[in-house]
Amino acid sequence: MVNATISWSPESLLAGPRGRRLCLEYALLTADDTSPDSFALRQAVQEVAYSLDPSNGTGRMYLRMSWEAPSSSPTAAPEPERVATVHDVANLLNAAPIPAPTEETLLIVLAAAVDFARYWQEPDGEDMLAADPAVRAPLARIATVLLASPHALWWFAPLNVDAQWEVRFLDEQAPVPVRSLAAREALERWRTAQVEEETTAARERPADPHARWSGTWWSRPPYELTHTTRVLSEQGPAGLWLVEDSLGWDQADAIPIEIHHNLRVFVIDGPEAWAELCRRYPLNVTASRRHDWFRATGRDGQWVIPDWVRVSGDFGGIHLTVAGYLTTAGRAIEVSDTSVSVLAGWNPDETYWLRDVDRFNSATPQTWRFDSDTVDGHRRPLRFS
């Protein structure tokens, strides 16, 4: 396997929007509902995120609630309402107890941070709040606790080719890959479509990045390729949990995949590894990605992604670690003096296989469903059925 070396610290985790969201979600999940300070934290995050969200009042609304502590003076006049600020959130985060995570709580907040990713519009209010310099120090305190957990070790672990599973969601709205295509054919079709879209976009779309246009916003390899994740003990394959913009899919089949050991795999473990792929195999997608990625990152310029056809000439697979995802996804990554890229639409711990791989013919797919119960609004682990 080939990868870039990344030095890990709370600051590196907080460099990525998904890493920051992870820390914020953990503070909210572990807040004690019986504590007025915890209630104040949740309320402050909700209020500030709403005020920062570009879609507030239209695509997003919320109901304001208040904490009523027991009082021996029921006729006392209520205090006037005060809208929370970013500095209120920072102070409450600083004061909040941060317990060591369990395997379940860490997986739940990681799934939430992944599910809220979006690359076709501006960041939501919580992402904007987490990016504010005033909350950086409190989030760094949370990041230190999370990175010290033994339950986070697999975020950095090497790819285990002997235990890879493909997940296929069964809901009607879930994408269905065309498995009749050989890997080479899927790659060639993908590249032809990219070139055609870029040519059309350059001709028909305005160069102004503020224009309200949208199109292809992802940069992962073609979905038709086999893509797999590891197994998380009794929690099942990571691909059941970690899905960007999942739309609430709650049924899936999991299938074991046999990987040839002689395949060379490139590992994306941080921003520099992604930049290296784009630098070595650049494909210009400026016209087709300009408007979406400008809204997502605030950056304008020449946009590139890896040309996966050329990458397949040197590598049989591309693996994105959880650490690489949390530090890289959604950022404008410098590739050269003139070009930038965004890692988008690629789930953490996912490996895309650029060559044909085998499914175990004798294996019966495992069917999974989400539990109908939730933990603080987050769905519980998938249960085998």
Side-chain angles (χ1 to χ4, degrees), residues 184-199:
R184 186 67 187 181
E185 183 180 359
L187 286 164
E188 292 288 356
R189 287 191 180 189
W190 168 85
R191 195 182 192 285
T192 297
Q194 294 299 308
V195 172
E196 290 178 351
E197 181 182 15
E198 182 66 14
T199 301

Side-chain angles (χ1 to χ4, degrees), residues 53-276:
D53 199 301
S55 63
N56 67 42
T58 54
R60 173 175 181 163
M61 303 184 73
Y62 82 96
L63 177 65
R64 195 177 197 279
M65 303 177 66
S66 61
W67 172 271
E68 292 187 7
S71 172
S72 58
S73 177
T75 60
E79 295 184 4
E81 291 186 354
R82 175 181 173 276
V83 178
T85 68
V86 171
H87 291 284
D88 290 329
V89 173
N91 292 335
L92 289 164
L93 285 172
N94 265 326
I98 306 300
T102 65
E103 180 183 18
E104 182 184 47
T105 57
L106 195 55
L107 192 53
I108 286 172
V109 294
L110 177 59
V114 173
D115 200 12
F116 285 118
R118 60 191 201 186
Y119 311 96
W120 56 92
Q121 63 189 95
E122 295 84 354
D124 67 17
E126 284 79 4
D127 278 359
M128 296 184 73
L129 170 61
D132 193 288
V135 301
R136 182 60 64 94
L139 291 182
R141 184 170 71 96
I142 300 170
T144 300
V145 173
L146 300 187
L147 292 175
S149 171
H151 302 303
L153 290 176
W154 68 278
W155 296 359
F156 315 90
L159 174 69
N160 180 5
V161 296
D162 293 321
Q164 291 293 299
W165 288 69
E166 180 182 53
V167 172
R168 298 182 187 176
F169 285 95
L170 305 177
D171 300 71
E172 291 183 0
Q173 295 179 339
V176 179
V178 181
R179 292 304 187 210
S180 61
L181 295 179
R184 186 67 187 181
E185 183 180 359
L187 286 164
E188 292 288 356
R189 287 191 180 189
W190 168 85
R191 195 182 192 285
T192 297
Q194 294 299 308
V195 172
E196 290 178 351
E197 181 182 15
E198 182 66 14
T199 301
T200 301
R203 183 176 63 249
E204 298 180 354
R205 301 182 192 178
D208 179 5
H210 296 88
R212 303 307 294 182
W213 281 75
S214 184
T216 300
W217 46 263
W218 50 92
S219 54
R220 53 158 171 73
Y223 192 76
E224 288 75 19
L225 296 174
T226 299
H227 42 284
T228 62
T229 61
R230 75 183 64 222
V231 174
L232 302 173
S233 63
E234 71 276 7
Q235 311 289 7
L240 295 167
W241 285 84
L242 308 179
V243 182
E244 290 190 337
D245 195 30
S246 68
L247 301 178
W249 304 329
D250 60 5
Q251 301 179 74
D253 279 347
I255 306 163
I257 302 295
E258 184 177 10
I259 307 299
H260 304 294
H261 282 256
N262 61 347
L263 288 180
R264 192 172 180 225
V265 178
F266 188 96
V267 179
I268 304 170
D269 59 1
E272 181 49 44
W274 178 251
E276 178 64 19

Side-chain angles (χ1 to χ4, degrees), residues 277 281 306-316 318 354-355:
L277 267 181
Y281 313 97
D307 182 341
W308 299 115
V309 172
R310 293 172 57 201
V311 175
S312 69
D314 294 329
F315 297 98
I318 309 292
L354 309 181
R355 312 277 175 81

Side-chain angles (χ1 to χ4, degrees), residues 322-338:
V322 174
Y325 175 87
L326 292 172
T327 56
T328 310
R331 295 173 61 185
I333 303 299
E334 300 284 346
V335 175
S336 69
D337 291 341
T338 59

Side-chain angles (χ1 to χ4, degrees), residues 43-53 83-86 88-89 125 129:
Q43 185 71 46
V45 169
Q46 186 181 47
E47 289 183 2
V48 176
Y50 177 79
S51 68
L52 295 173
D53 199 301
V83 178
T85 68
V86 171
D88 290 329
V89 173
L129 170 61

